[in-house]
Amino acid sequence: MSQDVGREPGQDAQIEPLQVDTPHIIIVGLVLWAIALVVTLVVPALHSGDRHWWPWAALSGLLLGALGLAYVRRGRGNASAA
């Protein structure tokens, strides 16, 4: 309520976008996918029976994350040039 002091009615506040370190976030995701892959390969119950696809899902997450990281690092993945 105190943020509206001095502002005329109907005037919207300017909201600035957050500055995010996208490559760092992607690297954290890659590390989490790598941990998931190791866990699913080490624990036999997590890659047998109906869960046979779980290691492949983790591997896919790693590969797609690596592609995303390469894309962002080349400079095409950020919106600063848009």
Side-chain angles (χ1 to χ4, degrees), residues 4-22:
D4 294 333
V5 175
R7 190 179 311 146
E8 296 193 24
Q11 184 181 12
D12 293 332
Q14 295 294 325
I15 299 174
E16 297 295 323
L18 295 174
Q19 297 297 322
V20 179
D21 185 17
T22 307

Side-chain angles (χ1 to χ4, degrees), residues 7-81:
R7 190 179 311 146
E8 296 193 24
Q11 184 181 12
D12 293 332
Q14 295 294 325
I15 299 174
E16 297 295 323
L18 295 174
Q19 297 297 322
V20 179
D21 185 17
T22 307
H24 180 69
I25 292 173
I26 295 173
I27 290 170
V28 169
L30 286 171
V31 168
L32 292 174
W33 278 119
I35 291 170
L37 179 61
V38 169
V39 169
T40 57
L41 291 175
V42 169
V43 180
L46 296 179
H47 65 267
S48 60
D50 288 339
R51 298 179 181 152
H52 69 278
W53 58 271
W54 283 19
W56 294 108
L59 183 63
S60 298
L62 274 171
L63 293 176
L64 289 173
L67 285 173
L69 183 61
Y71 183 78
V72 168
R73 285 203 171 157
R74 284 188 70 187
R76 296 182 182 173
N78 58 15
S80 64

